[in-house]
Amino acid sequence: MCGDVTNWDEEAYRESILREREIQTRTVFRTVWAPSFNPNPECVVVASSDGSIASYSISSCVSKHPIGFCSARAQRLLPAEPEGFLEGHDGPAYDVKFYGNGEDSLLLSCGDDGKIKGWRWKEFTESEVPITFQALNVGHLVFQSWSLTLSFDVFAGNHMKPVLDLINPQDKGPWGALSPIPENNAIAVDPQGGSIFSAAGDSYAYCWDVEKGEIKMVFKGHTDYLHCILSRASSSQIITGSEDGTARIWDCKSGKCIKVIDPLKDKKLKGLISCVSCIALDASESWLACGSGQSLSVWNLTASECISSISNGASIQDVVFDNNQILAVGADPVLNRFDMNGMILSQIQCAPQSAFSVSLHPSGVTAIGGYGGLVDVISQFGSHLCTFRSHCV
């Protein structure tokens, strides 16, 4: 039996296919836990490849999304309803951080447009989305022909302006020509020093004065773009990781590089070249973890030596310390837990087929974000509390 194609809308059908493909390929580049006096995790903030910054209530996601995990089911999840939402950047948003604590803190983000933006967290949590995203989901399923227009109107309704809006400088070339604005791939903060540090695509790290909105210092020495950056406030230093395969420790007072760490120096001699894609400091700021390709190295910064090197089955894309253990995620759907000597302690399957972010709450709960716009929240005991898909613009 043939269907009635009298009212068939080819353009709407094509738009729905493109929209679905966009949703499936969207990526969460960063997850971060919101500051709270509650010992239990309340809210996670997500930066996505569509430039959006969104916050999600963990209790709401746990109640609305089935507890348990199935990778096939995760791929079919409808987007969760965010508590707060902003179109933060033109192009992908790569990182989010909090500057300060509590309600007075700033929510910072950076992205492919070369900007660092900051919003007051209290205002962000109190901002209202004009139309509920649950209603939008229904509209998208039933009325495909106007779903894209409705999406634009909904998201454009939140006109919350940033209180901080910084943009990377451009180099001047011959006849006054300006270079493209370099992207910001990561940010770090030093609230006591009133500084924000950015890892940029022009191979430089920048130190920004939060009060004045000006660059205080430029750190030059890497030969390729930067992937990651950390503030080592106890020593007035920052640490950067680059596509050039090295991590560097910088003195924030002089702007000079005081140490070059080359995790794969011996392997490079054999023809294997890889970037430093992620770095992490422990709570004492004495131990550094470096992810380089499929290798994870652990460094004693006091002694300036590598104490262990771990080979992983897939590229490592983010790491974080959990006391004297290390959590790592990467280009496979697994949350790895290692001890300091490189012994694998556990491996937990997670929803994103490729994970770009792992963040640890003080309670031990982790949030993992990655490909497909998926966020997987795992308890301190290794069970899956909830899995949800972030909403898109």
Side-chain angles (χ1 to χ4, degrees):
M1 180 177 178
C2 297
D4 183 7
V5 296
T6 305
N7 297 319
W8 176 258
D9 190 334
E10 180 67 20
E11 183 177 353
Y13 173 73
R14 290 176 180 273
E15 286 183 349
S16 68
I17 295 298
L18 292 174
R19 180 70 169 174
E20 183 65 25
R21 187 174 299 172
E22 178 185 353
I23 291 173
Q24 293 295 331
T25 57
R26 193 172 69 260
T27 299
V28 169
F29 284 116
R30 185 65 60 197
T31 58
V32 63
W33 294 103
S36 172
F37 296 109
N38 189 333
N40 298 314
E42 290 184 331
C43 176
V44 65
V45 180
V46 170
S48 299
S49 57
D50 60 0
S52 65
I53 311 295
S55 63
Y56 297 89
S57 165
I58 296 302
S59 60
S60 176
C61 289
V62 169
S63 64
K64 294 180 180 179
H65 297 271
I67 296 177
F69 172 75
C70 171
S71 58
R73 185 178 63 198
Q75 300 302 319
R76 299 191 298 270
L77 285 174
L78 286 174
E81 182 178 357
E83 287 195 323
F85 187 94
L86 286 170
E87 289 185 66
H89 295 271
D90 294 326
Y94 292 132
D95 201 2
V96 282
K97 290 287 190 301
F98 280 94
Y99 183 90
N101 296 311
E103 292 183 342
D104 295 330
S105 61
L106 290 180
L107 173 62
L108 303 176
S109 66
C110 71
D112 196 61
D113 56 6
K115 291 186 176 183
I116 300 173
K117 294 186 177 182
W119 295 271
R120 299 192 190 282
W121 174 238
K122 184 177 181 180
E123 294 179 5
F124 182 87
T125 57
E126 293 175 351
S127 63
E128 295 182 358
V129 179
I131 301 176
T132 66
F133 286 87
Q134 289 177 335
L136 176 62
N137 288 338
V138 173
H140 177 65
L141 291 173
V142 179
F143 305 105
Q144 294 285 358
S145 62
W146 52 264
S147 63
L148 293 177
T149 303
L150 174 61
S151 298
F152 178 82
D153 292 339
V154 169
F155 294 120
N158 190 346
H159 293 292
M160 182 178 172
K161 292 184 178 181
V163 295
L164 189 69
D165 195 350
L166 312 174
I167 188 166
N168 283 337
Q170 297 171 270
D171 292 330
K172 288 187 177 181
W175 301 288
L178 294 176
S179 67
I181 299 173
E183 76 277 8
N184 284 316
N185 294 311
I187 50 177
V189 299
D190 177 16
Q192 291 184 342
S195 301
I196 300 172
F197 302 96
S198 61
D202 56 5
S203 79
Y204 301 155
Y206 294 94
C207 175
W208 294 85
D209 187 305
V210 175
E211 292 295 329
K212 297 180 180 179
E214 299 175 352
I215 293 176
K216 293 195 290 186
M217 189 171 291
V218 182
F219 303 86
K220 300 180 180 181
H222 283 291
T223 59
D224 211 332
Y225 66 89
L226 306 188
H227 284 280
C228 44
I229 191 166
L230 292 174
S231 172
R232 194 185 184 198
S234 62
S235 303
S236 189
Q237 297 172 348
I238 62 168
I239 306 176
T240 54
S242 170
E243 181 71 13
D244 65 15
T246 66
R248 293 174 181 250
I249 303 177
W250 308 82
D251 177 51
C252 291
K253 296 178 181 178
S254 66
K256 296 183 180 297
C257 175
I258 59 176
K259 177 71 176 176
V260 178
I261 296 174
D262 196 344
L264 297 179
K265 183 177 181 180
D266 294 336
K267 294 182 180 180
K268 286 178 182 178
L269 297 176
K270 300 176 183 178
L272 178 61
I273 300 177
S274 183
C275 65
V276 175
S277 57
C278 53
I279 51 179
L281 280 171
D282 76 326
S284 71
E285 299 190 338
S286 300
W287 298 90
L288 176 72
C290 291
S292 304
Q294 297 182 2
S295 175
L296 176 65
S297 56
V298 182
W299 298 76
N300 183 325
L301 296 180
T302 305
S304 297
E305 65 176 347
C306 178
I307 66 160
S308 65
S309 183
I310 307 161
S311 294
N312 193 50
S315 295
I316 296 172
Q317 295 171 163
D318 198 23
V319 291
V320 64
F321 275 90
D322 183 6
N323 295 320
N324 61 345
Q325 298 175 358
I326 301 169
L327 304 178
V329 296
D332 58 355
V334 176
L335 170 63
N336 298 286
R337 181 181 291 270
F338 302 97
D339 67 13
M340 299 287 279
N341 296 317
M343 181 77 68
I344 295 179
L345 302 177
S346 67
Q347 292 183 309
I348 301 174
Q349 187 180 15
C350 55
Q353 292 302 299
S354 181
F356 289 89
S357 174
V358 55
S359 56
L360 179 67
H361 189 269
S363 65
V365 176
T366 56
I368 300 163
Y371 188 75
L374 296 174
V375 177
D376 203 358
V377 181
I378 301 176
S379 76
Q380 60 269 46
F381 308 109
S383 59
H384 293 265
L385 294 177
C386 62
T387 302
F388 64 90
R389 189 184 299 279
S390 63
H391 221 291
C392 62
V393 175

